[in-house]
Amino acid sequence: MDKLKIGIYWAAACGGCDCSLLEVNEQILDVAAGADILLWPCATDAKYDDLRGYSDRELDIVLFNGAIRTEENRDMAQLIRAKTKRLVAYGACAHTGGVIGLANLSTRAEIFTTVFGAEKEWPQALSNQAGHQLHLPAFLDHLTPLSDVVDVDYVIPGCPPPRKIVSEFFSALLAGDLPEPGAVFAAEKNLCDECEREREHTQITHILRVHEASPDPEKCLLDQGFLCMGPATRGGCGAVCPNANMPCTGCAGAPADVSDQGTAMLNTLASLVGTGAEGEDQIEGENAILEQIDDVIGTFYRYAAAKSLFGRRYREQHGQTN
Amino acid sequence: MNEKSGFEPKIVAFLCKWTTYAAADLCGVSRMPYPPNISIIRVNCTGEITADMILSAFEDGVDGILIGGCRPGHCRYEDSNLKGSNRVYLLKRALKEFGLNPERIREVGIAGAQGLIFQRAVEKFTADIRALGPSPVTDHA
């Protein structure tokens, strides 16, 4: 059998996704035996021109990690889409925009001011450096997940994708046993479905952050007041974070039947808080508990701000109201 | 935001069938006019209004959302209205961070016999939203 031709590419990413590919340990040798890696900027020396030289749909599959932040990210996504038969959104940034999607709550100018200071210090798309013309890819106004710029065939969620899922994906790939396009390599149901902690359905009377107390390892983290995103997050990772006594932060995105992860969690949490008081006192008491959440978007939309019902559209006008 | 001339706000009102919806009904049968800007959606309880419903309405181009239910302690379904209220409270905080004025959502608790209060509430909310101007989300819907 001919070897598979695969590619791995990173756009706006931290590099963790590339590392996570090696988490499959010796299985990576099977991958190397069954597939030629034609593109992997993190590990190989292939140039963009090499990629441009391939015929359309020549590659079998490309794992694309990172979000679309610059023109280069977008152009490469489109080029890769043309050169590959199957495209995988690998990791939270490609899937939902990821942590860096929170940048969509700020305008481009705000981001540049924070990072580079005064406007005259901002990097220019075209500049002369020591007699050479330097071209930098433009920084797009908003960050988007991969699926906003090209069609995506598969999703491997997670920040980074957990070993178990990556390993299952490679096994399926090497066996020529990939599912129909559209599949997500994770569970359909939410994380609570596979979490072994005991749920007592007690009311949440106070919100705790992880540095404030040590969670009881047997009981549901939400019951104890830790903001665990489990109810609004796709399972499939094996509840690795709750098993390590840390609340889920929601990296796998929304479960199959949920469109917006943040509002799903918001709905859930609003019904869980309680003080035992009734009437007017109840509202005040419960709102006071909810007030303890320091960072609403950063908690509910930590990975999905760029893909949220609202962030997606509204960020275009951010800063021009009120 | 300055007042926009000629701007007619689109408002969706989610009304609890036991109280505020009954008040709206009373307004109607009593021939008490209220602004035609609102489209009423009857719900069993304000506790069934989810954050996604509100966000979807904004995405569809609504300028303001009025939520009318029972007053605290008067809910037919134990404290369901308060759970709905918690959601709105959290959602308003989220909207602020997303850059939308949280004043575009208003909660009222109006009993079934208070047709006049409903009429005034709609008039006031419509005027307030008119003053806020079109929802910025609308421009892209």
Side-chain angles (χ1 to χ4, degrees):
Chain A
M1 192 182 99
D2 284 348
K3 273 187 155 187
L4 288 166
K5 293 177 179 173
I6 66 173
I8 297 155
Y9 189 73
W10 54 4
C14 67
C17 281
D18 289 283
C19 298
S20 76
L21 291 165
L22 299 178
E23 252 195 331
V24 298
N25 300 330
E26 66 277 6
Q27 195 186 9
I28 200 73
L29 299 175
D30 299 340
V31 177
D36 280 329
I37 298 173
L38 300 191
L39 172 77
W40 191 4
C42 181
T44 71
D45 195 27
K47 299 284 189 276
Y48 291 171
D49 275 342
D50 298 334
L51 182 64
R52 290 190 188 100
Y54 298 131
S55 50
D56 283 357
R57 297 169 60 82
E58 182 166 346
L59 277 73
D60 291 296
I61 195 159
V62 173
L63 307 180
F64 191 105
N65 71 68
I68 308 300
R69 173 80 271 185
T70 65
E71 270 181 6
E72 184 200 24
N73 299 153
R74 187 193 59 203
D75 296 347
M76 281 303 289
Q78 286 164 350
L79 178 63
I80 287 169
R81 176 70 271 187
K83 300 295 179 190
T84 184
K85 295 188 188 74
R86 295 270 185 262
L87 181 63
V88 185
Y90 185 94
C93 294
H95 176 207
T96 59
V99 172
I100 49 177
L102 290 169
N104 281 354
L105 299 179
S106 308
T107 60
R108 184 173 172 275
E110 285 165 354
I111 295 169
F112 272 36
T113 305
T114 303
V115 178
F116 301 107
E119 192 168 349
K120 62 177 169 35
E121 306 289 336
W122 293 3
Q124 300 301 314
L126 275 176
S127 63
N128 266 309
Q129 303 286 340
H132 296 280
Q133 202 175 51
L134 178 67
H135 177 250
L136 293 177
F139 188 90
L140 300 173
D141 281 344
H142 304 103
L143 178 144
T144 49
L146 180 62
S147 60
D148 276 20
V149 288
V150 290
D151 289 335
V152 168
D153 297 306
Y154 302 117
V155 172
I156 301 181
C159 181
R163 194 189 66 82
K164 175 170 157 270
I165 288 178
V166 181
S167 178
E168 282 167 8
F169 167 76
F170 278 141
S171 301
L173 173 68
L174 294 172
D177 193 22
L178 285 176
E180 286 293 301
V184 176
F185 282 80
E188 296 281 296
K189 289 189 177 172
N190 68 8
L191 189 80
C192 300
D193 196 52
E194 59 194 44
C195 179
E196 286 165 9
R197 287 172 176 265
E198 210 131 309
R199 180 98 175 87
E200 286 170 2
H201 294 280
T202 51
Q203 287 186 323
I204 298 175
T205 54
H206 53 274
I207 305 282
L208 282 173
R209 296 175 74 187
V210 281
H211 64 276
E212 292 174 320
S214 276
D216 181 324
E218 306 295 323
K219 290 185 182 156
C220 170
L221 287 155
L222 269 172
D223 277 357
Q224 301 177 59
F226 294 96
L227 285 181
C228 178
M229 286 287 288
T233 303
R234 199 183 262 276
C237 59
V240 279
C241 295
N243 285 345
N245 224 12
M246 287 294 280
C248 169
T249 55
C251 69
D257 51 355
V258 174
S259 59
D260 190 295
Q261 187 181 20
T263 51
M265 189 61 203
L266 192 151
N267 291 334
T268 307
L269 194 72
S271 315
L272 288 177
V273 294
T275 56
E278 287 182 1
E280 290 283 1
D281 292 344
Q282 184 178 348
I283 290 197
E284 276 182 27
E286 294 183 359
N287 285 357
I289 299 171
L290 296 173
E291 188 65 39
Q292 295 166 13
I293 302 171
D294 277 335
D295 178 5
V296 175
I297 304 284
T299 303
F300 298 124
Y301 287 108
R302 185 166 304 172
Y303 302 91
K307 206 187 168 76
S308 62
L309 254 179
F310 218 55
R312 188 177 57 204
R313 191 173 295 278
Y314 189 59
R315 57 185 191 224
E316 289 163 23
Q317 286 286 305
H318 181 72
Q320 293 177 20
T321 49
N322 297 339
Chain B
M1 182 79 74
N2 300 324
E3 198 166 331
K4 299 272 164 61
S5 57
F7 161 63
E8 283 301 332
K10 280 185 275 216
I11 294 170
V12 162
F14 294 104
L15 305 181
C16 150
K17 72 172 180 183
W18 301 104
T19 49
T20 310
Y21 185 85
D25 211 10
L26 181 61
C27 252
V29 294
S30 315
R31 304 197 173 183
M32 292 153 64
Y34 55 79
N37 302 65
I38 75 165
S39 306
I40 296 176
I41 295 174
R42 195 179 81 146
V43 294
N44 276 328
C45 177
T46 52
E48 77 173 340
I49 303 162
T50 61
D52 340 14
M53 287 162 73
I54 297 175
L55 288 195
S56 304
F58 277 123
E59 269 232 324
D60 288 345
V62 164
D63 301 300
I65 307 243
L66 185 69
I67 294 172
C70 306
R71 284 171 295 137
H74 291 241
C75 183
R76 284 267 175 154
Y77 311 98
E78 299 194 356
D79 57 357
S80 182
N81 61 337
L82 301 186
K83 297 306 179 195
S85 185
N86 282 346
R87 276 181 199 154
V88 172
Y89 176 80
L90 256 187
L91 184 65
K92 280 186 172 181
R93 287 185 61 192
L95 285 190
K96 220 189 228 169
E97 292 186 44
F98 271 131
L100 191 74
N101 193 333
E103 301 289 315
R104 291 186 184 276
I105 306 178
R106 181 171 298 168
E107 292 176 283
V108 292
I110 299 171
Q114 298 174 318
L116 183 65
I117 294 186
F118 177 80
Q119 181 191 35
R120 287 185 184 155
V122 176
E123 283 171 355
K124 179 79 172 59
F125 189 55
T126 309
D128 290 350
I129 294 296
R130 185 175 284 125
L132 280 181
S135 156
V137 184
T138 317
D139 301 346
H140 297 273

